[in-house]
Amino acid sequence: TDTLVIHCSDHRFQTHFDEFLEKNLGLSSFDRLAFPGGPQFFFASSYLPKFEWAGKRWTQFLMEKHNLKKIILITHEDCGWYKEIKIGPFVIDALQKRQKEDLVGAKRVLQSMFSGVEVKLFFAHPNQSGEVAFEEIA
């Protein structure tokens, strides 16, 4: 594999993440880091600096030791971790906006850590039919 996937560990989304990665992105094999809040750990320096340090260290280890070239970051609607750490006002639209901003910020962090790495960002949310849709964030 040449891909690392970092996503939230919320059990409600695991099957959906796996299906999306395989069916939509063609990934049957990849390295994975799953934490509460997914890639949010890249911004934990002010309240959980050890989380940020460990997450970056594990990311660096996998990227270097496994010679990975791509990173997929996924966060999702109704994330308990974002509610727990109370980032910003707890208004659904504001929370989702913050999650998407964090994805973009994490991409910048990763591109500064690993020159030339391809980073794709996705926000998962249930759609009208009850399925989970994946919105790609530019």
Side-chain angles (χ1 to χ4, degrees):
T1 184
D2 66 350
T3 305
L4 170 62
V5 176
I6 303 173
H7 62 70
C8 187
S9 57
D10 188 327
H11 70 95
R12 299 173 298 165
F13 287 84
Q14 298 310 301
T15 301
H16 302 289
F17 290 163
D18 288 345
E19 287 176 2
F20 172 74
L21 292 165
E22 185 171 349
K23 291 179 182 175
N24 294 77
L25 300 184
L27 296 174
S28 59
S29 177
F30 49 88
D31 282 356
R32 177 191 324 243
L33 292 173
F35 304 104
Q40 194 280 327
F41 70 80
F42 286 106
F43 305 102
S45 64
S46 64
Y47 52 92
L48 293 168
K50 290 180 182 179
F51 282 24
E52 180 180 16
W53 181 88
K56 285 181 175 179
R57 181 67 184 100
W58 289 326
T59 300
Q60 183 176 13
F61 171 83
L62 291 171
M63 292 296 292
E64 291 174 0
K65 299 299 181 189
H66 296 175
N67 197 31
L68 304 176
K69 307 291 183 220
K70 300 176 194 170
I71 302 174
I72 307 295
L73 303 179
I74 307 172
T75 191
H76 66 87
E77 184 176 296
D78 192 36
C79 181
W81 180 251
Y82 272 83
K83 292 176 186 177
E84 177 71 18
I85 60 175
K86 297 175 179 66
I87 294 178
F90 183 67
V91 177
I92 297 300
D93 290 341
L95 186 63
Q96 290 178 10
K97 181 177 185 243
R98 176 60 188 260
Q99 288 176 274
K100 292 173 184 180
E101 289 170 353
D102 282 356
L103 282 174
V104 173
K107 179 177 182 175
R108 283 193 297 268
V109 169
L110 288 164
Q111 289 175 327
S112 72
M113 289 174 67
F114 312 104
S115 66
V117 68
E118 178 184 349
V119 183
K120 292 193 173 198
L121 314 173
F122 296 94
F123 182 80
H125 56 89
N127 62 20
Q128 299 292 343
S129 64
E131 299 289 318
V132 173
F134 288 81
E135 172 189 352
E136 186 165 6
I137 307 300

